[in-house]
Amino acid sequence: ARSKTQEASTINTHKHSTMASKAIVRFSGLLGAMGVGAGAYGAHMLEAHWQQEGMVDPDDDGVSLARWHKVWNNGWVMNMAGSAATLGVASLQHLNSTSMLVKSSARALPAAAVFIGGGTAVFSVSAYAAAYFQER
């Protein structure tokens, strides 16, 4: 039989894991929304921005633009993959909080989400900025 202290500890761990899971889902959603917005901008407005700023060389045959579109697209792909990976961590966190199969991952999973999501955001934003300003 479990003591009241063990039950209270399990309930507190479950509440903490559930809150962490919700925060990770929100973070994943934010990354996904950033990716959708960046994808739409890259597909519909980026080249117009370059033309307006005089960054398009008429003698280039589009080679330079293709390069910067690729940089933007690499940021977008990583952005969407990071969003999906962070959502996967949230799913693992939720499963862990409901089953308590792996108690040691209660702190590791939120940390993984922070590192995956944070790295995704930094990489993606730096790729978007490099392409937007056409500078490395």
Side-chain angles (χ1 to χ4, degrees):
R2 296 180 63 161
S3 71
K4 290 189 180 209
T5 305
Q6 288 173 324
E7 287 181 27
S9 175
T10 300
I11 289 170
N12 286 337
T13 301
H14 176 74
K15 285 181 183 178
H16 174 72
S17 293
T18 301
M19 288 178 11
S21 180
K22 288 179 182 179
I24 295 168
V25 168
R26 289 184 184 115
F27 188 45
S28 174
L30 183 63
L31 284 174
M34 182 175 88
V36 169
Y41 187 85
H44 301 289
M45 298 179 69
L46 186 59
E47 195 165 333
H49 158 73
W50 291 332
Q51 289 174 348
Q52 182 180 5
E53 296 296 319
M55 297 175 168
V56 177
D57 183 359
D59 299 327
D60 194 5
D61 289 337
V63 173
S64 180
L65 290 184
R67 174 181 177 230
W68 292 114
H69 270 291
K70 184 176 180 179
V71 170
W72 185 279
N73 193 54
N74 286 343
W76 177 81
V77 167
M78 193 59 67
N79 194 160
M80 298 307 285
S83 175
T86 307
L87 186 59
V89 171
S91 298
L92 290 174
Q93 180 72 18
H94 179 72
L95 286 173
N96 187 49
S97 72
T98 57
S99 68
M100 301 304 273
L101 290 175
V102 185
K103 293 180 184 177
S104 64
S105 66
R107 290 192 180 120
L109 288 172
V114 167
F115 288 120
I116 293 169
T120 296
V122 168
F123 178 84
S124 298
V125 169
S126 65
Y128 298 146
Y132 185 84
F133 295 110
Q134 292 188 358
E135 291 183 12
R136 287 229 178 230

